[in-house]
Amino acid sequence: MPRFKPDLRESEATPEGIYLRRREFLRLGAAGAIGAATSAFPIPALAGPDDPAGEVLPVARKADMAGGEKPTPWKSVTTYNNFYEFGTDKADPAQRAGGLRTRPWTLAVDGEVKRPLTLGIEEILKLSPLEERVYRFRCVEAWSMVVPWVGFPLAGLVKRAEPTSRARFVVFQTLLDPAQMPGQRSRILEWPYTEALRIDEAVNPLTLLAVGLYGRVLPAQNGAPLRVITPWKYGFKGAKSIVRMRFVEEQPRTTWAVMAPTEYGFYGNVNPAVDHPRWSQGKERRLGEFLRRDTLPFNGYGAEVAGLYAGLDPRKLY
Ligand SMILES: Nc1nc2c(c(=O)[nH]1)N[C@H]1C(S)=C(S)[C@@H](COP(=O)(O)O)O[C@H]1N2
Ligand SMILES: [Mo]
């Protein structure tokens, strides 16, 4: 059995940042030159390899919830990923997840609910109008991005299942299929990947079930066809490619909290004041940028969510 390999060292984020920034520079440089040569004869922009790709989703409304910041390029969002089912390298998911079958796909909603549900992905897509929400997103390992997710608030689905009075948490489970997910053939993590939220967190209006990115169907490497997004928490709280939501009474075991309890808490709220045991959490690097910026408490969403944690030890937030 392979020994547990700690997740990316913070220092590894540096060359990637420079690499992506150089590419962006080269791309803009080339486009600028073409623009200058042909400015008298404007031509429609051609779709390049860095532009969003895949099936277009019908988006009913758009909201910028990242203070007007420019979204991180599609290319960075879809080629620098954490999805251990497809390997532990940031480049692995983009290279290895492409064959994941996302149709048919069903989501089971069960446990402490009055109305257990089994929903096909097509039905899920019709539950509520799709929204685009531009959110800041930050990983424990100090890289971050600004992402136009497409999805809908999880609250609607929770209400539909009618949790019982005993339900206090909701557990999200990723697909378990070692034939499709080569990482699951080794015991690098406990499979299936499992995450959970308190029910008040799950129904917070910021919490999304995401089905897309940049107006397109979610690429497999980003958690197709369905993943959870909680923008005030570290990225690990958002399970990808989920097949089950189970309502429970007791705080459940979650993958990373079990694997590395000193590095990942149950709450996983972004908190620059609580260091990771191997590095400070005070700064972060946006993919594609060179200079680091300050990490914001709750990733900048404190006004919306800080009240959920009144009375809780801030160390527990992590
Ligand atoms: N099933 C599953 N979900 C997962 C992970 C994973 O390895 N497997 N990694 C998590 C971590 S640590 C992060 S930072 C985010 C990364 O999301 P992204 O690749 O879309 O940026 O996914 C989270 N969800
Ligand atoms: Mo992460």
Side-chain angles (χ1 to χ4, degrees), residues 10 138 140-142 234 271-284 292 295:
E10 190 206 13
R138 191 195 190 282
V140 163
E141 304 137 34
Y234 292 113
N271 188 347
V274 176
D275 290 344
H276 181 276
R278 292 183 282 136
W279 57 76
S280 151
Q281 288 292 33
K283 300 249 182 214
E284 67 195 60
R292 298 203 296 170
T295 287

Side-chain angles (χ1 to χ4, degrees), residues 7 82 90 137-143 193 234-237 256 264:
D7 213 345
N82 262 344
K90 300 293 181 245
F137 181 97
R138 191 195 190 282
C139 179
V140 163
E141 304 137 34
W143 52 272
Y193 190 99
Y234 292 113
F236 73 92
K237 290 298 294 180
W256 280 108
Y264 304 85

Side-chain angles (χ1 to χ4, degrees), residues 131-197:
E131 300 175 31
E132 179 183 283
R133 300 261 191 101
V134 184
Y135 280 155
R136 283 177 224 99
F137 181 97
R138 191 195 190 282
C139 179
V140 163
E141 304 137 34
W143 52 272
S144 67
M145 45 192 194
V146 173
V147 184
W149 300 108
V150 176
F152 54 87
L154 178 62
L157 186 53
V158 171
K159 283 189 196 114
R160 193 172 286 256
E162 296 180 41
T164 70
S165 58
R166 279 188 297 276
R168 286 179 55 232
F169 296 89
V170 54
V171 182
F172 303 91
Q173 245 175 44
T174 294
L175 176 70
L176 179 65
D177 186 354
Q180 291 201 77
M181 296 177 146
Q184 291 178 341
R185 291 173 222 154
S186 85
R187 293 172 63 186
I188 183 99
L189 291 179
E190 255 185 20
W191 310 110
Y193 190 99
T194 300
E195 257 308 333
L197 296 171

Side-chain angles (χ1 to χ4, degrees), residues 28-49:
L28 292 174
I34 291 166
T38 60
S39 57
F41 309 98
I43 48 164
L46 299 172

Side-chain angles (χ1 to χ4, degrees), residues 24-25 37 41 54 109 112 116 151 174 194 205 211 213 288 313 317:
E24 181 77 351
F25 175 78
F41 309 98
V109 185
E112 286 292 344
T174 294
T194 300
V211 297
L213 261 189
D313 172 3
L317 303 186

